[in-house]
Amino acid sequence: MPAAESYLKPEVIQQIKRLDLRAQFIVKGFMQGLHASPFHGFSVEFSEHRKYTHGDDPKDIDWLAYAKTDRYYVKKFEAETNITGYLAMDLSESMAYTYRQELTKFDYSICLAAALTYLMIGQQDPVGLVTFGERIRQSLPPKSKRTQIGTILSLLANLKPEGKTDIGASLIQLAAMLKHSSLVMVFSDLLADAEGEGGVIPALRRLRHGGHDVILFHVLDEAEVAFPFTGLVELEDPESKEKLEIDADGFRTDYLAEVESFRETYRQECFQSGIDYVPLDTSMPFDRALTEYLVTRKHRA
């Protein structure tokens, strides 16, 4: 496992910084516009307004806005615009898989988490971390101090993805832990039961019903998506260690259809539940992954 510093090396920092510079919608809009979102993150200035409602202090009315619209609006204060984020990281052994990419699925998730942490803390939004396997293993309270990115990466760099996972149970446990409406960013390959009792999808719905916004980063290895194998190959389940020998050429079409169905199930279920679903693979630069997600969300909004 790479050391924490490897995620903070100059070229990675530059990639993260470019996220900040790429069209202001990345900073101001990344967490805005989520399905039915109660949050207005990444804004600590009076950059947004809401309609005046009974109980608001009349002194907060923006009279310039009234002059332009003939309607009463009040400026949103910092307390109303800040959000609390939680990075929820899958530590199952399958996340350690890589075929020919430099980064495993877990490493890739850390880079993406670093970018999100950088963006949120840059706007004074607190962010914390939860890691899970068959249950939650570590929990780091949200903070908005700049040292938090180093704290998060140092913790992750000292972890080794291992063992089995129970994503559904872990997310249910997380939902019970959260006392206030939060933004939960889940990083997982989702190699677990999707539906049924104890499945991932019911657990995601539970988070949404608890008033939380959810972004599901579905991280697969490039080989899991593209299936670049030929001839006879032996496949091994990283968690059960079960092995299967197949003819890759004859299996490819069915396999690719299954992967597409796998992703489509989550895409549809997340859409219906008001969850943002982000399918990724480890061949995508993580800054591009964020940008493509933003473009997709912008078109859907």
Side-chain angles (χ1 to χ4, degrees):
M1 181 69 194
E5 290 75 12
S6 68
Y7 299 110
L8 294 172
K9 57 190 177 183
E11 55 265 39
V12 173
I13 287 293
Q14 283 307 115
Q15 281 185 293
I16 294 172
K17 285 183 176 177
R18 280 205 303 275
L19 290 173
D20 233 354
L21 300 173
R22 253 187 212 178
Q24 288 188 359
F25 69 83
I26 287 183
V27 173
K28 293 185 177 178
F30 183 64
M31 299 306 171
Q32 295 171 352
L34 301 177
H35 296 297
S37 173
F39 302 110
H40 300 270
F42 294 135
S43 175
V44 293
E45 300 174 354
F46 295 123
S47 59
E48 297 181 38
H49 297 75
R50 60 174 170 77
K51 290 182 180 179
Y52 176 85
T53 58
H54 181 71
D56 287 332
D57 191 332
K59 291 186 294 184
D60 295 330
I61 292 174
D62 186 330
W63 295 106
L64 287 176
Y66 173 77
K68 292 178 181 179
T69 64
D70 200 32
R71 294 181 180 179
Y72 295 112
Y73 290 91
V74 295
K75 296 176 180 179
K76 293 181 178 178
F77 289 93
E78 180 176 339
E80 294 179 272
T81 59
N82 276 19
I83 56 175
T84 297
Y86 285 87
L87 306 164
M89 195 74 63
D90 185 350
L91 287 184
S92 61
E93 191 165 346
S94 63
M95 290 292 285
Y97 175 75
T98 183
Y99 176 60
R100 58 189 177 192
Q101 290 295 323
E102 180 183 351
L103 299 178
T104 67
K105 291 180 281 186
F106 184 65
D107 295 335
Y108 185 92
S109 297
I110 292 177
C111 287
L112 195 55
L116 291 167
T117 303
Y118 177 89
L119 287 175
M120 292 191 70
I121 289 177
Q123 296 299 310
Q124 300 179 26
D125 291 318
V127 60
L129 170 71
V130 169
T131 66
F132 63 89
E134 292 186 285
R135 57 181 176 77
I136 289 178
R137 298 186 192 174
Q138 287 91 5
S139 177
L140 184 69
K143 292 182 181 179
S144 57
K145 295 180 180 179
R146 297 196 67 85
T147 54
Q148 183 76 339
I149 184 171
T151 303
I152 287 174
L153 293 183
S154 293
L155 192 157
L156 290 172
N158 288 309
L159 294 173
K160 179 183 178 182
E162 58 186 357
K164 298 181 180 181
T165 188
D166 190 333
I167 303 170
S170 297
L171 294 181
I172 292 293
Q173 190 181 353
L174 176 59
M177 285 171 50
L178 301 180
K179 304 303 181 186
H180 306 286
S181 294
S182 304
L183 172 68
V184 180
M185 295 160 277
V186 181
F187 302 83
S188 176
D189 55 16
L190 301 177
L191 299 183
D193 291 336
E195 303 178 78
E197 187 176 354
V200 179
I201 289 171
L204 290 168
R205 290 183 187 140
R206 172 81 170 269
L207 277 169
R208 283 294 289 139
H209 292 162
H212 308 292
D213 251 331
V214 181
I215 306 177
L216 180 59
F217 291 102
H218 188 184
V219 183
L220 294 174
D221 186 75
E222 175 208 14
E224 292 175 321
V225 173
F227 201 73
F229 310 106
T230 58
L232 286 177
V233 295
E234 186 177 76
L235 305 179
E236 179 180 290
D237 185 309
E239 295 181 20
S240 70
K241 304 303 180 184
E242 182 180 347
K243 295 181 180 180
L244 177 68
E245 188 176 87
I246 63 165
D247 172 11
D249 300 295
F251 189 65
R252 180 173 294 105
T253 299
D254 288 343
Y255 175 86
L256 293 176
E258 282 296 319
V259 170
E260 178 54 33
S261 175
F262 176 39
R263 285 175 150 182
E264 186 61 25
T265 294
Y266 275 100
R267 188 179 291 112
Q268 290 294 332
E269 290 289 345
C270 287
F271 179 78
Q272 292 174 12
S273 298
I275 293 168
D276 273 19
Y277 173 69
V278 190
L280 302 170
D281 73 71
T282 53
S283 69
M284 298 174 65
F286 63 88
D287 57 344
R288 183 185 133 210
L290 281 180
T291 303
E292 290 196 356
Y293 160 61
L294 289 166
V295 170
T296 301
R297 182 187 55 72
K298 186 177 181 182
H299 289 164
R300 189 183 64 232

